[in-house]
Amino acid sequence: MPIETKVPTQAPRTLEAWVKLLESVRIPVPKHSYDRVMAAIHDSRRSLRDIAELMQDSPALVLSVMREANHPTNASLAEPAESLEVALNRLGLERSEQLLKRLPALPVEEIPPVLCQFQMISQHAAQQASGLFASRLARLWQEIHWGSLLFLSPLWPLALAYPKLLDTWELRVIHKGEDAAHVEEELFGVRIMALCQTMAEYWRLPQWVTQGYRLLLEEREQLAQVLNIARDEDLLSQQHRMDAEPGLRRWFNQPANTVLLANNLALAAQVGWDNPHLLRWQLLTALYLQTSLEDVQQQVHQQAAASARRHARHALFHPAEALIWPWHQRRPHPDMLAPPPPSSDDLARWRTLCQHLLAQPSPFTNAVHLATQAQEALLACGMQRIMLLSLDKASDYLRVQQIAGLPKEAGALALQVSQNKLLQKLLSQAGQLRITPENHSQFSALLPAPLRTLFRSEHVLLRSLAANDQVLMLLVADQGCRPLADISVQAFGKTAQCIERALSVFTNRKG
């Protein structure tokens, strides 16, 4: 069954618009999990607990059942169901089966990897919660387990609808340390935590989920006070300080906080086991459990390994993999790694295209024909986002000739040369500028705002192209914001030389 949700190209910018969109997204269910659950529903020997346990393998199924059971038309004024068993009991097997039939069931390899990654983080969080807290709070194990699994569920439809936005958010906020408020306003128009809280309330998810978001958004001062105490290395001193603040102690010791602790442990571990964010949540967990940091770290590592045995999947990253790495090693975001070099077939095609550019007499009928060939050669050598701009000397504007890997509206871009000193420099004579992490802050600010917005990257190549000592074009390219592969940079330079030769031959022929 295909995913039928139609997502607008332009992402929403308000909470209301986001809620409307995310409510409409139908999250796919792995086909093998769907079939097992459906078979169990038809097996009269299976209990609701059996069915609930089978559903755990598919977080999307759990979310769908909980949402349906807690919908006002089903739940009336009753409290939200806090566990999957209660939700199944509220719906009944017949309605649960009808609900399942409305969900897309796909082979797991066809489900978008960003969605699978976030669901695996949720499963890891549920494992951490069960291992760290459920045995100590045995009566509340269901609230702990299901609340932990569903805490990040508002991000699942977002990961399906706009995977690139979440991927970009992770790169800029988690890995590069950019200001979260600024990045989220730019990407989503709203704060991520506010959107998650709004969706959790709209879906009437378990109260421990909404309580966790309320703490992050409205009770950060108390959290900071508790963290200050948790940093005290003397356990006895920690307890004395907590005893001196009975209100703060009651606030922090609420069982609902286990959901928040487990999810932040799982989220922070995605980056690496040695990072300040993870250490903060480990310290808070140690204070909550009234044990040492070393003990908590050992337990967290054990639960990560247990989660990996159950939930790890090919092509997804599970933090347990990093337990055998050197302690200070972090997992780089895929966009922080140079892409693989062009294949032999791509390089063969690149050579053919370059030979065509160098042909004499010029095989090109017009400038657009030449620019199209140039773009194809650049794509073949590994460039992923390309903009070719022609200089209109009469108006002193650079106008887009060709684009690849960029939004359609970028094709209408026009840049006035006289208003930008960097453009003036590039167009005074043929030359190349390579933006790197080391010089990014210096040169990015000098780029025209439209170019800076389109090529928001620390790895960009700009090259002005001349014929007969007259600059005619500006070439801007990158490898999808990732570090540039050396072989592609070399091929880029050679391609630029071929384009210049083609421009020269073409211009002389025109003359």
Side-chain angles (χ1 to χ4, degrees), residues 422-460:
L422 181 59
L423 290 184
Q424 292 174 27
K425 176 72 173 175
L426 284 168
L427 297 179
S428 63
Q429 62 181 28
Q432 181 169 305
L433 169 64
R434 179 176 179 176
I435 295 179
T436 65
E438 290 73 29
N439 67 20
H440 176 262
S441 58
Q442 176 188 355
F443 287 111
S444 177
L446 300 177
L447 286 174
L451 270 188
R452 190 165 59 247
T453 300
L454 287 168
F455 289 89
R456 185 179 291 281
S457 171
E458 295 179 339
H459 307 275
V460 186

Side-chain angles (χ1 to χ4, degrees), residues 8-78:
T9 305
Q10 191 68 36
R13 303 295 299 171
T14 65
L15 278 176
E16 295 76 13
W18 273 114
V19 169
K20 183 177 180 181
L21 173 73
L22 298 183
E23 170 65 11
S24 70
V25 172
R26 300 169 66 218
I27 305 174
V29 175
K31 183 71 165 58
H32 67 275
S33 180
Y34 179 95
D35 291 342
R36 283 206 307 267
V37 172
M38 196 63 82
I41 288 176
H42 291 148
D43 186 345
S44 59
R45 296 167 298 178
R46 296 294 194 117
S47 66
L48 287 179
R49 176 165 292 187
D50 292 336
I51 295 170
E53 287 180 359
L54 285 173
M55 283 185 174
Q56 287 189 67
D57 290 335
S58 173
L61 267 180
V62 176
L63 175 62
S64 297
V65 170
M66 296 289 277
R67 280 172 57 183
E68 186 73 12
N70 289 335
H71 193 277
T73 56
N74 296 317
S76 185
L77 297 178

